[in-house]
Amino acid sequence: MTFPLQISFRRMSRSSGIEQMISEKSAKLSKFSSQIITCRVTVDLPHRHHQSGNEFHLSIEISTSQG
């Protein structure tokens, strides 16, 4: 079963590579529950105080149906 996936980016430009990775990973969620009706992922780039490399924060919200 497939479900709608919404991906949002904060403090950064949209990245097709990150979107593809999130899409691939979220497709595997249906193995755990057939009652998932929507999935929202927010990719946030934290402030760059004394950090090196690319560090992202992800927030994932999954809605399920009761049944």
Side-chain angles (χ1 to χ4, degrees):
M1 177 182 175
T2 59
F3 46 84
L5 174 63
Q6 178 185 1
I7 303 172
S8 302
F9 291 87
R10 290 188 183 163
R11 291 187 276 240
M12 62 181 293
S13 300
R14 186 167 293 276
S15 166
S16 60
I18 292 174
E19 284 182 332
Q20 181 179 354
M21 182 180 67
I22 291 170
S23 296
E24 291 169 2
K25 298 290 184 184
S26 67
K28 295 179 181 181
L29 290 173
S30 58
K31 292 180 184 179
F32 298 102
S33 176
S34 62
Q35 298 183 356
I36 297 175
I37 56 175
T38 188
C39 180
R40 293 181 195 96
V41 179
T42 302
V43 182
D44 190 8
L45 185 63
H47 297 289
R48 296 179 186 236
H49 299 291
H50 308 291
Q51 294 181 0
S52 61
N54 292 331
E55 183 176 313
F56 302 99
H57 291 168
L58 298 176
S59 299
I60 303 168
E61 181 180 331
I62 299 171
S63 299
T64 60
S65 63
Q66 294 179 345

